[in-house]
Amino acid sequence: MKLLIAVIQDKDTSELQDAFIKNNIRATKLSTTGGFLKSGNTTYMIGIDDEKVQKTLDIIKNISRTRKKYMTPPVNLDGGANEGSYPVKIQVGGATVMILPMDAFHQF
């Protein structure tokens, strides 16, 4: 048994939830915030049998897309104010998945 903790961008949540239901993958969904942009994320906690881990990872990978986004840095590199800053293109999205061993899993 494994515990998968998957952090994904909010934009991919609905499609991923549908895929979990379709593939009979039970997941607990938590709303989270964090990262470089302090943007909305969704964290899924998934207790799953070892033989289903790769299939679950494949589903997450196929649905959680990376995107390009423009943002204006909050400060200049020289420590000055934000005046005259130009937007920069950054990559956002995708998924971060942590896999932990789990000794037991109970549903009551």
Side-chain angles (χ1 to χ4, degrees):
M1 215 64 220
K2 299 285 189 228
L3 173 64
L4 274 65
I5 302 172
V7 182
I8 66 152
Q9 193 174 36
D10 278 345
K11 291 182 179 182
D12 296 322
T13 300
S14 181
E15 188 178 352
L16 186 57
Q17 182 108 15
D18 291 344
F20 285 161
I21 291 168
K22 181 181 177 184
N23 288 281
N24 199 28
I25 297 169
R26 295 182 181 180
T28 299
K29 180 175 128 178
L30 305 168
S31 294
T32 54
T33 303
F36 177 65
L37 298 176
K38 297 181 179 138
S39 59
N41 297 315
T42 298
T43 300
Y44 285 98
M45 295 190 323
I46 307 161
I48 196 135
D49 292 324
D50 290 344
E51 62 271 4
K52 294 182 181 178
V53 169
Q54 189 57 53
K55 179 181 179 180
T56 305
L57 289 173
D58 290 342
I59 291 168
I60 294 168
K61 183 178 180 181
N62 289 333
I63 292 175
S64 300
R65 299 170 194 49
T66 58
R67 298 166 177 85
K68 300 291 183 188
K69 180 176 180 176
Y70 285 95
M71 71 160 293
T72 303
V75 295
N76 292 333
L77 294 177
D78 63 4
N82 195 18
E83 298 172 21
S85 293
Y86 295 99
V88 293
K89 187 189 279 188
I90 59 168
Q91 182 174 306
V92 297
T96 300
V97 182
M98 293 150 274
I99 303 172
L100 305 166
M102 189 165 48
D103 293 333
F105 180 80
H106 303 279
Q107 286 185 306
F108 301 106

